[in-house]
Amino acid sequence: LQPQPSLGSLPQLAADLLIHTLDFKLVGYLALRDTIPAVSGLDGVEGQDVGEGISFGVEGTFSLKEAVTIVLPRAPVIRARKLHHLQSMKLWIEAAGVKEVLLLAGVDAASRVDEGLRAVTPLRHFTFSSTSGLIERLSALTPSFVASSSTSTSTTKIPPIPHGGLTRSLLETLSPNNTSALLIYAAEGDNSASAFLLADALAAVDEAREVSQLGRGEWRKPKSWERGLMGEE
């Protein structure tokens, strides 16, 4: 699972909910030479002792129970390091033997065409022609992003993903046999409600056993939401 820094920061917010609700453990950091240098204190939920330490720009977390790895960038990639970053991620994914890659990104809601405006959900998916359990669940859960794009003329072409960060570049770089994207239309502002929607979708797509019946009130929000992100500190 690779959330991308993009419009509204929704991928990061949804990943926060998964990491702090499920049994994800921090296992390391990636791409530190490729991203804008950034550090922060360790995050956690209220009542949790996270200890002392700092966190860097790209966190790698893993859940043994869910067999899912989340590579969570908190800082954008430096423009001059973009190509190096894309190739490094490709090599790392291949070396780690990752079976399926799901990219997450926010997309500019103003880019929707009529189909997107009529739809009841802001969620969209993009996949290549390959089939897998993940792709089947994505297709059943969300409409196709291709049908919502005003600039796409082919189901095999990757349409522009406005304000989607490196999502389109990663789709072009990584293997089309095991790479898909879950997208959500967004705008700037308080996107916490949409973050819960995206987290619910991720739980369904990834068939997360612990949260298959969770509602919004049962997701565990990290302290940073109440303090730095949406609070006064």
Side-chain angles (χ1 to χ4, degrees):
L1 193 62
Q2 282 197 312
Q4 294 302 303
S6 51
L7 186 64
S9 299
L10 278 169
Q12 279 69 31
L13 298 179
D16 273 342
L17 294 174
L18 263 70
I19 289 170
H20 294 289
T21 302
L22 300 178
D23 188 27
F24 278 89
K25 304 296 184 185
L26 179 65
V27 294
Y29 299 96
L30 292 83
L32 297 184
R33 294 182 298 169
D34 297 336
T35 56
I36 293 175
V39 296
S40 70
L42 298 178
D43 204 0
V45 298
E46 291 294 343
Q48 176 187 14
D49 182 14
V50 297
E52 298 181 351
I54 58 175
S55 178
F56 296 98
V58 183
E59 301 169 351
T61 62
F62 179 71
S63 169
L64 181 62
K65 183 175 295 185
E66 303 297 340
V68 172
T69 298
I70 298 180
V71 177
L72 179 56
R74 304 280 189 183
V77 171
I78 299 168
R79 184 183 296 271
R81 301 285 297 181
K82 175 182 174 180
L83 293 179
H84 179 271
H85 176 74
L86 294 172
Q87 290 301 317
S88 295
M89 291 306 302
K90 179 180 180 179
L91 293 174
W92 179 78
I93 288 170
E94 292 173 350
V98 176
K99 294 181 179 179
E100 293 179 305
V101 177
L102 181 61
L103 306 173
L104 306 179
V107 186
D108 188 0
S111 66
R112 290 174 294 178
V113 294
D114 289 346
E115 182 278 337
L117 293 171
R118 291 193 297 265
V120 297
T121 175
L123 296 167
R124 296 292 184 275
H125 75 270
F126 178 86
T127 63
F128 295 96
S129 59
S130 302
T131 58
S132 69
L134 174 63
I135 291 175
E136 290 175 358
R137 294 191 294 275
L138 274 175
S139 301
L141 182 69
T142 64
S144 169
F145 179 65
V146 172
S148 302
S149 173
S150 60
T151 57
S152 177
T153 59
S154 169
T155 56
T156 59
K157 178 182 177 182
I158 305 174
I161 304 175
H163 298 283
L166 293 182
T167 306
R168 191 171 188 271
S169 296
L170 284 165
L171 285 170
E172 293 173 334
T173 302
L174 302 180
S175 170
N177 295 325
N178 64 351
T179 306
S180 306
L182 178 59
L183 311 171
I184 183 168
Y185 286 113
E188 294 293 352
D190 183 355
N191 284 296
S192 56
S194 294
F196 285 103
L197 174 65
L198 183 56
D200 288 338
L202 286 170
V205 168
D206 290 333
E207 294 185 327
R209 292 178 289 276
E210 288 187 13
V211 295
S212 59
Q213 303 299 321
L214 277 186
R216 172 173 174 172
E218 295 166 295
W219 286 108
R220 302 175 69 191
K221 297 183 293 184
K223 290 183 287 187
S224 60
W225 282 35
E226 305 295 338
R227 296 179 179 177
L229 181 64
M230 303 174 188
E232 299 180 353
E233 294 187 15

